[in-house]
Amino acid sequence: MALPIFASDALSSVAYAPQELLMILLVGGLAFLSFSPWVAAAVVVLLVVVVLSYRQLIKAYPSGGGDYEVARTNLGEVPGVVVAAALLVDYVLTVAVSVASGVDNIISAIPALNPFRVEIAVGFVILIVIVNLRGVREASTVFAVPTYLFIGSVAVMIAVGLGRTVLGDAPVASSAQYAVRAEDLGQIAVILLILRAFSSGCSALTGVEAVSNGVPAFRKPKIRNAQTTLTLMGGIAILLFSGLTVLALVAGVHYAENPCHLIGFDCANQPQPSLMAQVAAATFGMGSIPFFIIQAATAAVLLLAANTAFNGFPLLGAVLARDGYAPKALNTRGDRLVYSNGMIILGIVAIGVLIVYQANLTTLIQLYIIGVFVSFSLGQIGMVRHWRRVLRNMRDLPEEARRQSAARYERRSAISGLWINSAGASLTVLVLLIVTITKFTHGAYLVFLAIPILATLMIGVNRYYRDVEHEIRMDDTVHFGSEGDVAIVLVNRLQKPVVKAIDYAMAARHDKTLAVHVAIDEADADRLQKQWEEHNVPVPLVIIESPYRAYTSPIVSFIKKYREKHGSAVVTVYLPQYIVGHWWETILHNRRSRRLAQQLMLVHGVSITLVPWLLDSSELIYGRRSRPLPGQQRGGQPAPLPGHVPHARRATRPSGPPDNS
Amino acid sequence: MALPIFASDALSSVAYAPQELLMILLVGGLAFLSFSPWVAAAVVVLLVVVVLSYRQLIKAYPSGGGDYEVARTNLGEVPGVVVAAALLVDYVLTVAVSVASGVDNIISAIPALNPFRVEIAVGFVILIVIVNLRGVREASTVFAVPTYLFIGSVAVMIAVGLGRTVLGDAPVASSAQYAVRAEDLGQIAVILLILRAFSSGCSALTGVEAVSNGVPAFRKPKIRNAQTTLTLMGGIAILLFSGLTVLALVAGVHYAENPCHLIGFDCANQPQPSLMAQVAAATFGMGSIPFFIIQAATAAVLLLAANTAFNGFPLLGAVLARDGYAPKALNTRGDRLVYSNGMIILGIVAIGVLIVYQANLTTLIQLYIIGVFVSFSLGQIGMVRHWRRVLRNMRDLPEEARRQSAARYERRSAISGLWINSAGASLTVLVLLIVTITKFTHGAYLVFLAIPILATLMIGVNRYYRDVEHEIRMDDTVHFGSEGDVAIVLVNRLQKPVVKAIDYAMAARHDKTLAVHVAIDEADADRLQKQWEEHNVPVPLVIIESPYRAYTSPIVSFIKKYREKHGSAVVTVYLPQYIVGHWWETILHNRRSRRLAQQLMLVHGVSITLVPWLLDSSELIYGRRSRPLPGQQRGGQPAPLPGHVPHARRATRPSGPPDNS
């Protein structure tokens, strides 16, 4: 059952990898399709090597840290951060590519939706974000049905298609009739084109690393089970990838980068069906039930792949936040115990990417593979370092210990690990070079900008937190015993919230308690003075003149002068604070009070006391009780005893300690 | 000099009104252009009546409140709010229409910019917002040059064009050669088409009301000067409007709603030049210097018109906020004494409208005129009421007083006012009906949704503020004298900010001061306990168990139990608060502390004291001093004396009193 959870990401790439591979070759003309078996074979070899390499990684680092942990442990901080940046970029592109391809396959089945391509894609991302914010339980069945349906239906299609071919009734794709306007290419261009096709085909490898990040989620024996799952997944991916490629060749699918290059195809009014749709239509008939099943399963598994990124990205964000490389907010769980900040960021960025690239799969694929191979390469290089260190440590053991059979077994396995990961590292670095050369001008340079920028930001964040930590550490300068304090209650008009603030200030028995009013308007000040006497308010009222209608600066100079004259070390400013029942009410109460608090906190010796006043005016407007907020006496008057616990929904949410910021 | 300030809005509409008028008629075919002099004449008549009506309004309400004040005073709250809503919608559309038309005229001169139409429009709006946020001085010269250049160059063009016509060398527009694919219309459709053309022509009237909102800005005698300016402006508008219409007819300008209906015009690859550009090209030659001057002046005056909305909208917003119909934040002046919130809202909404309608002038015009005529009509009806009340009051005067010559003069002027405004009211209501009927299905229904929604929101806001005011009013339940208080300092780790908070809590001499730690992690709690003893912290440390890793709820139940046991009325919770030097640092400190404060404020009897700690880690990262924040001792340790004044930039900004929210 572990397969479907991790497999959707890796297997879904089969839905676009053969298409992109053949598409690039077709730029050179129909004759170039004869290269495709060789290019596909190269992709398969690479896939085998990568799967074997990741089996080693799982064994050595079963904690689920994946490439980030390997690179950080074995290569140091900068490579670790670079891998993290590459993975973050990758998660974004996993969402964008998977959703774009999913929408492509939906449109292939229902061409009438073509004008809404971007809208549908954005809609799916929003849907996935909402589902994940609500805290989806990773119920295996939800994942299992589409994944197994995808594997099963595509396998059946390949079997049927190849069976028909053997029986002499080979399926024929509708695009087989179209001729292709090919470019004239020189020798170097031919080589580059083949390498570009190989690079695009490598998109079949994306998602293989997912298992290595999920080892802790496996049943025991975790390592063995994870390795088995990985191998199984790799095998299935190879079968589907090669089967689809061969069947597409047999059926004569002509999928063009620009559909207008297909002579005879009405490119202006009709979307080009995906390779999957063309093969399915050729095998089972356009519009047949199996055709729709295959398209639905393909779209579903692609959307699930996008969904897995919404598990991976926030988790990596939280790990980075824990290690001090990302804002701590990414390590905060939301209402439903999910890392909601990370999910929202991923959703927004993915939507942005989809809109900018108009949900165009081919363009997005160009960006995708770079990040994958950056983390593959650094992870593998890290593994090579890891095995070399293991072997070095063994060499340092006493002769006796080395002779034991367990030690000999371990040594053999370390040597084989070194060989496998060296092969993996060489190959992935080579592919990274190929991908870079062939994709750089096709948009991949943006990824080459994004990764170092992200990595630099992460290191900057880390240094920032380190410096803050250093600054607030206890040292010998710490002392207690400030003497003399004064409470200042700011008063605009004599209203109940102010009365409550005065009452609280008096209860705290400050050395001195004053009410202060800034006289912006003289008539208002006179009226306040009169009311003050009428109501016998038991603290003195000080009225400060403000000839220029300023508010903050007269208070600041009053505080300053008061401290100079009376030598108070501590000034506590009391501010009544409205607590509203609905979010939209905050729009209606302006933030001057908050801004004032921010400004006063910059003044030497000042602290701010917020005295809450619960507004329940929503009742008055709607004639119904607003949602209950027990724990706050309604109207907020100071009443003796006893208090209540605030509403459980908010208060019982487990949340870590604040960092006082 | 008053002319250019107010005139850009009204005169700029001449740049699109004739074009839209002729365009609608052309839907019926070339023959329909023969109706255009009559339709244009009707627009001119309407313009004359409206100008005369507004002369009356200026006399009666010289305070600058315009239609909103008139409707509110004479018709009551709901019509007043409806006018306000219509005006707000209008300001948004003034920006959108003017910018769209300005970009149109720029593209007419430089067709290569056509693919960037929306981007250029959005760019201009952003530019205008930035300029206004920086607080542009309404320097007359900035307004005068383009306005006079526009008036002068268009007048010269009309004179030259008509002169050439008289001399038998009539200018010929490039579009004169194109035939038009006309629709076949029934009789009713013909009438509707002519009425639609009239409605579109009425866009020439937009902006006439601007003078009535600006009377206080005129030199004395204000009323006389304002009236003169209005009349002058109306005269110029009539001259330019009729001149342009006639010249366009003479030159045979064929401007189509859909340029692909122009047979022979390459509508796919080439933008349709604006009517202004076609006339200018026909008169002076395409690409000649006068052609470019006219296009530049037209674009400039249109952008100035958009700019005037950035004066009007925030001002109306502030008036509405003062009257309690809009969030008070709209009545807050920003750093540079401008109503920045209103400007930002207007900018965002206008950009949204421009993007949604792809900066398409014709579509935007459909929305524009409704709002204008809603406020025209209600303003005029209000004026009718006003004069009738004036006359009624006169009738109630004693016979003797009525006979005096001043009274007789006033009575005569009231009667003439009544006649003029009755005519104005009837005509504008009639036009409002025509505009509604002809434009409703062309998008104007959106305005009919927006105005009542806005008006309802405003009334809701007003009721909300009224209820809050009622709730916090002083009454007999008010009393002082809560007894017994306790201070709780929340401690996660023993760091300097916590020490400062403890120091401040001790200075305030609460009945009791406690430090409280929630033990999420036992090892952390033990370490804290040890540190506490090491540093001889002079307040007792209470460690609360939290088996479920919750943070807020253990504190809440601790406070509740403590109050039950000790009978404290007031609990003050001390929270250290980081003050950061740069905005981006706030991203790096999570808001748990703020959320905790919000949650604790819901608990009975709790107030929150924020003890600031200034972070200056930015220095450490960059090796330079961060921007100075005098008034805060660096590092934030409690030190005896004396304090400093906070930095003048923020503190001396005049700002009204906060409303404690």
Side-chain angles (χ1 to χ4, degrees), chain B residues 505-584:
Chain B
M506 285 162 57
R509 281 189 242 288
H510 297 273
D511 290 346
K512 180 122 188 117
T513 302
L514 298 174
V516 169
H517 174 78
V518 180
I520 303 275
D521 184 298
E522 256 182 66
D524 284 352
D526 291 346
R527 200 177 318 128
L528 179 66
Q529 183 78 58
K530 243 176 253 163
Q531 275 191 299
W532 208 260
E533 284 152 20
E534 254 172 51
H535 285 88
N536 286 320
V537 185
V539 296
L541 174 67
V542 180
I543 291 180
I544 315 177
E545 300 299 320
S546 172
Y548 305 111
R549 299 178 56 82
Y551 192 78
T552 313
S553 58
I555 297 174
V556 170
S557 35
F558 174 80
I559 291 173
K560 187 189 158 194
K561 275 185 209 141
Y562 189 92
R563 293 189 69 208
E564 273 173 10
K565 204 164 148 196
H566 297 85
S568 312
V570 179
V571 178
T572 309
V573 179
Y574 280 75
L575 287 175
Q577 182 91 359
Y578 287 150
I579 308 291
V580 294
H582 305 91
W583 65 267
W584 48 262

Side-chain angles (χ1 to χ4, degrees), chain A residues 411-606:
Chain A
R411 183 150 186 281
R412 271 204 305 279
S413 101
I415 289 175
S416 76
L418 181 61
W419 277 106
I420 291 170
N421 288 126
S422 299
S426 332
L427 264 184
T428 50
V429 169
L430 181 67
V431 173
L432 179 59
L433 283 175
I434 293 173
V435 171
T436 308
I437 292 166
T438 56
K439 302 286 184 191
F440 195 83
T441 52
H442 291 81
Y445 69 95
L446 286 170
V447 177
F448 274 99
L449 286 176
I451 292 179
I453 288 172
L454 268 176
T456 312
L457 281 176
M458 287 181 199
I459 290 180
V461 166
N462 184 267
R463 298 300 178 270
Y464 177 85
Y465 282 133
R466 207 189 51 191
D467 290 340
V468 168
E469 195 65 23
H470 177 81
E471 187 188 332
I472 61 177
R473 196 179 297 152
M474 296 290 284
D475 57 29
D476 298 342
T477 66
V478 168
H479 66 274
F480 293 94
S482 294
E483 279 293 320
D485 83 315
V486 60
I488 292 177
V489 185
L490 289 187
V491 178
N492 290 317
R493 291 188 289 163
L494 189 56
Q495 288 167 325
K496 289 184 185 172
V498 166
V499 170
K500 185 178 173 189
I502 293 172
D503 192 60
Y504 276 30
M506 284 162 58
R509 281 188 241 288
H510 296 274
D511 290 347
K512 180 121 189 119
T513 302
L514 298 174
V516 169
H517 174 77
V518 180
I520 303 275
D521 185 298
E522 253 180 69
D524 285 350
D526 291 344
R527 200 177 318 128
L528 179 66
Q529 183 79 56
K530 246 177 248 162
Q531 276 190 298
W532 209 260
E533 283 151 20
E534 254 172 49
H535 285 87
N536 286 320
V537 185
V539 296
L541 174 67
V542 179
I543 291 180
I544 314 178
E545 301 299 321
S546 172
Y548 304 112
R549 299 177 57 81
Y551 193 76
T552 313
S553 57
I555 298 173
V556 170
S557 36
F558 175 79
I559 292 173
K560 187 189 157 194
K561 276 187 209 139
Y562 189 92
R563 292 189 71 210
E564 273 173 9
K565 204 166 149 195
H566 297 86
S568 312
V570 179
V571 178
T572 309
V573 178
Y574 280 76
L575 286 176
Q577 182 91 359
Y578 287 150
I579 308 291
V580 294
H582 306 89
W583 64 266
W584 47 262
E585 289 180 57
T586 51
I587 300 170
L588 298 174
H589 298 284
N590 69 30
R591 296 168 172 194
R592 273 206 205 130
S593 157
R594 185 176 297 175
R595 219 163 62 182
L596 179 68
Q598 291 292 338
Q599 288 173 13
L600 289 179
M601 280 205 271
L602 296 175
V603 183
H604 200 161
V606 167

Side-chain angles (χ1 to χ4, degrees), chain B residues 5-22:
Chain B
I5 299 179
F6 298 104
S8 63
D9 191 1
L11 293 181
S12 69
S13 50
V14 167
Y16 43 80
Q19 167 180 315
E20 299 300 307
L21 192 163
L22 295 179

Side-chain angles (χ1 to χ4, degrees), chain A residues 327-329 331-332 461 464-465 467-469 471-475 477-483 485 492-497 499 502-504 507-511 520 535 537-538 548-553 556 560 563-564 567 570 576-580 585 587-590 592-593 595-596 599 601-610 612-617 620-621 631-633 637-646 650-661, chain B residues 327-329 331-332 461 464-465 467-469 471-475 477-483 485 492-497 499 502-504 507-511 520 535 537-538 548-553 556 560 563 567 570 576-580 585 587-590 592-593 595-596 599 601-610 612-617 620-621 630-633 637-646 650-651 653-661:
Chain A
K328 285 182 190 158
N331 200 15
T332 310
V461 166
Y464 177 85
Y465 282 133
D467 290 340
V468 168
E469 195 65 23
E471 187 188 332
I472 61 177
R473 196 179 297 152
M474 296 290 284
D475 57 29
T477 66
V478 168
H479 66 274
F480 293 94
S482 294
E483 279 293 320
D485 83 315
N492 290 317
R493 291 188 289 163
L494 189 56
Q495 288 167 325
K496 289 184 185 172
V499 170
I502 293 172
D503 192 60
Y504 276 30
R509 281 188 241 288
H510 296 274
D511 290 347
I520 303 275
H535 285 87
V537 185
Y548 304 112
R549 299 177 57 81
Y551 193 76
T552 313
S553 57
V556 170
K560 187 189 157 194
R563 292 189 71 210
E564 273 173 9
V570 179
Q577 182 91 359
Y578 287 150
I579 308 291
V580 294
E585 289 180 57
I587 300 170
L588 298 174
H589 298 284
N590 69 30
R592 273 206 205 130
S593 157
R595 219 163 62 182
L596 179 68
Q599 288 173 13
M601 280 205 271
L602 296 175
V603 183
H604 200 161
V606 167
S607 65
I608 306 287
T609 298
L610 305 172
W613 182 274
L614 176 71
L615 278 179
D616 49 6
S617 58
L620 303 170
I621 296 180
Q632 168 77 17
Q633 69 275 46
Q637 279 298 69
L641 259 179
H644 307 277
V645 191
R650 308 206 93 204
T652 58
R653 177 172 66 217
S655 58
D659 65 353
N660 301 330
S661 57
Chain B
K328 286 183 191 158
N331 200 14
T332 310
V461 166
Y464 177 86
Y465 282 133
D467 291 340
V468 168
E469 196 64 23
E471 188 189 332
I472 61 176
R473 196 179 297 151
M474 295 292 284
D475 58 28
T477 67
V478 167
H479 66 274
F480 294 94
S482 294
E483 279 292 321
D485 84 315
N492 290 318
R493 292 189 289 164
L494 189 55
Q495 289 166 325
K496 288 184 185 172
V499 170
I502 293 172
D503 192 59
Y504 275 31
R509 281 189 242 288
H510 297 273
D511 290 346
I520 303 275
H535 285 88
V537 185
Y548 305 111
R549 299 178 56 82
Y551 192 78
T552 313
S553 58
V556 170
K560 187 189 158 194
R563 293 189 69 208
V570 179
Q577 182 91 359
Y578 287 150
I579 308 291
V580 294
E585 289 180 56
I587 301 170
L588 298 173
H589 298 283
N590 69 32
R592 271 205 208 132
S593 160
R595 219 162 62 183
L596 179 68
Q599 289 173 12
M601 279 204 273
L602 297 174
V603 184
H604 200 160
V606 167
S607 64
I608 305 288
T609 298
L610 304 173
W613 182 274
L614 175 71
L615 279 179
D616 49 5
S617 58
L620 303 169
I621 295 179
Q632 169 76 19
Q633 71 272 47
Q637 280 298 69
L641 261 178
H644 307 279
V645 191
R650 308 206 94 203
R653 177 172 65 215
S655 58
D659 67 354
N660 301 330
S661 56

Side-chain angles (χ1 to χ4, degrees), chain A residues 194-540:
Chain A
I194 293 170
L195 289 178
R196 251 185 84 200
F198 169 71
S199 300
S200 287
C202 286
S203 60
L205 274 72
T206 56
V208 167
E209 77 288 358
V211 176
S212 72
N213 296 321
V215 184
F218 278 87
R219 294 229 185 86
K220 281 183 183 173
K222 287 174 191 282
I223 294 178
R224 172 62 56 89
N225 281 336
Q227 285 184 325
T228 311
T229 304
L230 181 62
T231 312
L232 199 59
M233 199 178 78
I236 296 173
I238 289 170
L239 280 180
L240 297 186
F241 175 76
S242 358
L244 266 175
T245 309
V246 170
L247 194 52
L249 284 173
V250 167
V253 172
H254 295 163
Y255 190 92
E257 187 162 6
N258 179 349
C260 296
H261 282 200
L262 293 171
I263 298 159
F265 179 72
D266 179 10
C267 62
N269 294 317
Q270 181 179 344
Q272 186 179 209
S274 69
L275 178 137
M276 183 70 81
Q278 294 194 33
V279 170
T283 310
F284 297 115
M286 180 71 195
S288 64
I289 290 173
F291 168 80
F292 279 114
I293 290 177
I294 283 180
Q295 287 314 104
T298 307
V301 89
L302 283 162
L303 294 178
L304 279 188
N307 183 71
T308 54
F310 279 88
N311 300 324
F313 183 97
L315 213 62
L316 179 59
V319 169
L320 288 170
R322 193 200 59 203
D323 293 353
Y325 287 102
K328 285 182 190 158
L330 290 178
N331 200 15
T332 310
R333 289 178 189 270
D335 276 344
R336 305 205 175 226
L337 299 180
V338 294
Y339 295 114
S340 40
N341 292 324
M343 288 175 181
I344 291 167
I345 292 171
L346 176 58
I348 290 172
V349 178
I351 286 172
V353 169
L354 278 169
I355 291 176
V356 168
Y357 292 102
Q358 292 288 297
N360 184 317
L361 180 64
T362 301
T363 324
L364 289 168
I365 289 272
Q366 313 293 337
L367 309 176
Y368 192 19
I369 317 162
I370 300 277
V372 178
F373 277 90
V374 165
S375 59
F376 277 178
S377 305
L378 288 172
Q380 296 305 320
I381 294 173
M383 284 305 294
V384 170
R385 275 267 185 105
H386 165 80
W387 292 127
R388 289 175 66 174
R389 205 188 49 238
V390 168
L391 287 171
R392 206 175 324 115
N393 292 346
M394 283 182 183
R395 222 176 301 135
D396 296 346
L397 286 178
E399 183 71 17
E400 208 172 308
R402 270 196 277 170
R403 291 244 174 105
Q404 283 172 2
S405 74
R408 266 167 36 204
Y409 170 78
E410 254 185 41
R411 183 150 186 281
R412 271 204 305 279
S413 101
I415 289 175
S416 76
L418 181 61
W419 277 106
I420 291 170
N421 288 126
S422 299
S426 332
L427 264 184
T428 50
V429 169
L430 181 67
V431 173
L432 179 59
L433 283 175
I434 293 173
V435 171
T436 308
I437 292 166
T438 56
K439 302 286 184 191
F440 195 83
T441 52
H442 291 81
Y445 69 95
L446 286 170
V447 177
F448 274 99
L449 286 176
I451 292 179
I453 288 172
L454 268 176
T456 312
L457 281 176
M458 287 181 199
I459 290 180
V461 166
N462 184 267
R463 298 300 178 270
Y464 177 85
Y465 282 133
R466 207 189 51 191
D467 290 340
V468 168
E469 195 65 23
H470 177 81
E471 187 188 332
I472 61 177
R473 196 179 297 152
M474 296 290 284
D475 57 29
D476 298 342
T477 66
V478 168
H479 66 274
F480 293 94
S482 294
E483 279 293 320
D485 83 315
V486 60
I488 292 177
V489 185
L490 289 187
V491 178
N492 290 317
R493 291 188 289 163
L494 189 56
Q495 288 167 325
K496 289 184 185 172
V498 166
V499 170
K500 185 178 173 189
I502 293 172
D503 192 60
Y504 276 30
M506 284 162 58
R509 281 188 241 288
H510 296 274
D511 290 347
K512 180 121 189 119
T513 302
L514 298 174
V516 169
H517 174 77
V518 180
I520 303 275
D521 185 298
E522 253 180 69
D524 285 350
D526 291 344
R527 200 177 318 128
L528 179 66
Q529 183 79 56
K530 246 177 248 162
Q531 276 190 298
W532 209 260
E533 283 151 20
E534 254 172 49
H535 285 87
N536 286 320
V537 185
V539 296

Side-chain angles (χ1 to χ4, degrees), chain B residues 296-321:
Chain B
T298 308
V301 89
L302 283 162
L303 294 177
L304 280 187
N307 184 70
T308 54
F310 280 87
N311 301 322
F313 183 98
L315 213 61
L316 180 58
V319 169
L320 288 170

Side-chain angles (χ1 to χ4, degrees), chain B residues 19-271:
Chain B
Q19 167 180 315
E20 299 300 307
L21 192 163
L22 295 179
M23 186 193 79
I24 302 286
L25 287 177
L26 211 62
V27 172
L30 289 178
F32 278 68
L33 288 182
S34 60
F35 289 109
S36 49
W38 306 105
V39 178
V43 172
V44 168
V45 169
L46 186 65
L47 190 51
V48 169
V49 173
V50 168
V51 165
L52 291 177
S53 304
Y54 271 96
R55 283 178 59 102
Q56 297 297 323
L57 195 149
I58 288 172
K59 196 167 69 182
Y61 291 89
S63 65
D67 289 317
Y68 167 63
E69 191 187 345
V70 173
R72 195 153 166 246
T73 312
N74 294 295
L75 303 177
E77 182 186 35
V78 173
V81 167
V82 169
V83 168
L87 283 173
L88 291 179
V89 170
D90 244 31
Y91 281 124
V92 170
L93 289 168
T94 299
V95 176
V97 165
S98 303
V99 169
S101 178
V103 173
D104 239 10
N105 277 293
I106 291 172
I107 289 174
S108 301
I110 313 167
L113 295 176
N114 194 35
F116 311 105
R117 180 181 296 267
V118 181
E119 289 83 349
I120 296 171
V122 170
F124 273 127
V125 176
I126 292 173
L127 184 74
I128 295 172
V129 171
I130 291 173
V131 167
N132 277 284
L133 283 180
R134 293 184 57 94
V136 66
R137 289 226 56 74
E138 280 188 20
S140 293
T141 47
V142 176
F143 287 74
V145 173
T147 309
Y148 284 128
L149 188 64
F150 175 74
I151 297 173
S153 60
V154 174
V156 167
M157 177 175 76
I158 293 169
V160 170
L162 295 182
R164 275 177 55 186
T165 311
V166 171
L167 297 176
D169 174 33
V172 178
S174 57
S175 61
Q177 50 173 315
Y178 302 135
V180 178
R181 255 175 240 153
E183 289 175 22
D184 245 348
L185 298 168
Q187 211 162 4
I188 294 175
V190 167
I191 294 170
L192 270 178
L193 194 72
I194 291 170
L195 289 178
R196 252 185 83 200
F198 170 71
S199 300
S200 286
C202 286
S203 58
L205 273 74
T206 56
V208 168
E209 77 288 357
V211 175
S212 71
N213 296 320
V215 184
F218 278 86
R219 293 229 186 86
K220 281 184 185 170
K222 286 175 193 281
I223 296 178
R224 170 64 55 90
N225 281 337
Q227 286 184 325
T228 312
T229 304
L230 180 61
T231 314
L232 197 59
M233 199 178 76
I236 295 172
I238 290 170
L239 280 180
L240 297 185
F241 175 76
S242 0
L244 266 175
T245 310
V246 170
L247 195 51
L249 285 172
V250 167
V253 172
H254 295 164
Y255 189 92
E257 186 162 7
N258 179 347
C260 296
H261 283 200
L262 292 172
I263 298 160
F265 178 72
D266 179 11
C267 61
N269 293 317
Q270 182 178 345

